[in-house]
Amino acid sequence: MGPIVLHEYALSGNCYKIRLTAAHVGMPLARREYDILEGETRTAAFLREVNANGRIPVLQLGDDFLPESNAAAWYLADGSDLIPADRFERADMLRWLFWEQYNHEPNIATVRFWRTLVGEDNLSELQRAQLPAKVAAGEAALALMDAHLGRRAFFVLDRLTLADIVLYAYTHVAEEGGFDLRPYPHVRAWLARVAAQPGHVAITD
Amino acid sequence: MGPIVLHEYALSGNCYKIRLTAAHVGMPLARREYDILEGETRTAAFLREVNANGRIPVLQLGDDFLPESNAAAWYLADGSDLIPADRFERADMLRWLFWEQYNHEPNIATVRFWRTLVGEDNLSELQRAQLPAKVAAGEAALALMDAHLGRRAFFVLDRLTLADIVLYAYTHVAEEGGFDLRPYPHVRAWLARVAAQPGHVAITD
């Protein structure tokens, strides 16, 4: 069916987590870039052919399209050591993936997006009103991670799993959104640990 | 290890989806209720012993605690027909679970919560400012579901999977949040189809 294609915006952490997963499992990806600020994922053709939800990343497997970053990362990791074999540990790993999309990404990633790509001066009134709450929720997410990592080296097992890859993606660029990581020493040690894994690639690779 | 315990607030769709999954796989659950409006999931004991994230539902398996509704539902469904055996279909099912937590629940569930439990008069200024955008995003989620269901009977396979259970939970009570389901005939037909499945239980059961 040809190479797997990642429809992406390369600087998005949601896209990077898929490339990082692919690197760890040794799966080459073809890449197709969209300018999200120019609305290239909201065109009629994109909505019809790639993702009716108008978002990247989307993983394309032949004629099949798989939206949602953590589902795409799961697809690539399925059958590898990145997904725990034990039933509870597998569900516990998924717990962190859902937590990332509910408590981490809408705060840490959105604040980074608003501040670095949209620009604070260009925010809508509603976005500006939401900013303090999103910053506070992002700080709470980092604090929860730090407390969890104070008792273990990785999120679920004593080695890298998909939970670490998914959480690494936006945490390692949180400072671009103005989040100060200095109060979170366990997070910083874990970031270094993840980056030192064999097979690691950078968001700019 | 004794019975599996669901720490919950029974009228929450996130808690109901776990009970509905348990009913379909024939797993009895013990239930422990918390008054979320009285802050019972934010006490020091709850944060320390049940979930550092201060939220229900949490599934307790002996000494292990599993937060995040879709991870808990996955745990119960793991090994059953509710999770597709095919690799792509399994990831595609997870796609809908992540979409539910990112695009559906923060809009449809939050608006229902604000309007029926908190009360519009009691919303904070920020919540009130967010309400129109959340209503619009909830409508968009229902429209996306309706278009998808126009071409198939269930979300992923030609039979019930965990994706249907998870999406049913808040969709079937969307009208409590003021969402009008009349413009979404495929969603309404699918709701009836899910409710007619053997093993179905109601949110009030």
Side-chain angles (χ1 to χ4, degrees), chain A residues 76-126:
Chain A
L76 293 173
D78 202 352
S80 80
D81 283 350
L82 293 175
I83 296 181
D86 174 78
R87 180 178 179 176
F88 179 80
E89 289 167 348
R90 187 164 49 244
D92 196 37
M93 196 212 70
L94 279 170
R95 173 264 279 243
W96 288 108
L97 269 54
F98 287 112
W99 181 82
E100 190 263 349
Q101 285 289 289
Y102 200 90
N103 286 90
H104 188 290
E105 202 270 4
N107 302 306
I108 293 174
T110 298
V111 170
R112 170 180 176 253
F113 180 72
W114 287 354
R115 284 180 165 162
T116 64
L117 290 166
V118 179
E120 280 205 50
D121 291 347
N122 302 317
L123 295 181
S124 70
E125 197 176 330
L126 179 57

Side-chain angles (χ1 to χ4, degrees), chain A residues 52-53 55 61 64-68 70-71 74-78 87-88 90-92 94-95 97-99 101-103 105-106 110 126 129-130 133 144, chain B residues 52-53 55 61 64-68 70-71 74-78 87-88 90-92 94-95 97-99 101-103 105-106 110 126 129-130 133 144:
Chain A
N53 199 28
R55 291 167 181 269
L61 305 122
D64 291 324
F65 293 84
L66 185 58
E68 297 299 324
N70 289 354
W74 168 284
Y75 176 84
L76 293 173
D78 202 352
R87 180 178 179 176
F88 179 80
R90 187 164 49 244
D92 196 37
L94 279 170
R95 173 264 279 243
L97 269 54
F98 287 112
W99 181 82
Q101 285 289 289
Y102 200 90
N103 286 90
E105 202 270 4
T110 298
L126 179 57
Q130 288 176 285
L144 188 146
Chain B
N53 199 29
R55 291 167 181 268
L61 305 122
D64 290 323
F65 292 85
L66 185 59
E68 297 299 323
N70 289 354
W74 168 285
Y75 176 84
L76 293 173
D78 202 353
R87 180 178 179 176
F88 179 80
R90 187 165 50 243
D92 196 38
L94 279 170
R95 173 263 282 243
L97 268 54
F98 287 112
W99 181 82
Q101 285 289 288
Y102 200 91
N103 286 91
E105 202 269 6
T110 298
L126 179 58
Q130 288 176 285
L144 188 147

Side-chain angles (χ1 to χ4, degrees), chain B residues 35-95:
Chain B
D35 189 336
I36 53 176
L37 293 172
E38 294 295 325
E40 290 183 0
T41 65
R42 310 279 169 154
T43 66
F46 185 92
L47 295 173
R48 187 178 62 245
E49 292 164 19
V50 182
N51 183 7
N53 199 29
R55 291 167 181 268
I56 46 85
V58 177
L59 202 62
Q60 181 182 354
L61 305 122
D63 295 332
D64 290 323
F65 292 85
L66 185 59
E68 297 299 323
S69 60
N70 289 354
W74 168 285
Y75 176 84
L76 293 173
D78 202 353
S80 81
D81 284 348
L82 293 175
I83 296 181
D86 173 78
R87 180 178 179 176
F88 179 80
E89 289 167 348
R90 187 165 50 243
D92 196 38
M93 196 211 72
L94 279 170
R95 173 263 282 243

Side-chain angles (χ1 to χ4, degrees), chain B residues 88-146:
Chain B
F88 179 80
E89 289 167 348
R90 187 165 50 243
D92 196 38
M93 196 211 72
L94 279 170
R95 173 263 282 243
W96 288 108
L97 268 54
F98 287 112
W99 181 82
E100 190 263 349
Q101 285 289 288
Y102 200 91
N103 286 91
H104 188 289
E105 202 269 6
N107 302 307
I108 293 174
T110 298
V111 170
R112 169 180 177 253
F113 180 71
W114 286 355
R115 284 180 165 161
T116 64
L117 290 167
V118 179
E120 280 205 51
D121 292 346
N122 301 318
L123 295 182
S124 70
E125 197 175 330
L126 179 58
Q127 287 170 332
R128 205 181 311 278
Q130 288 176 285
L131 193 54
K134 284 190 178 286
V135 168
E139 297 282 358
L142 292 167
L144 188 147
M145 290 170 69
D146 202 64

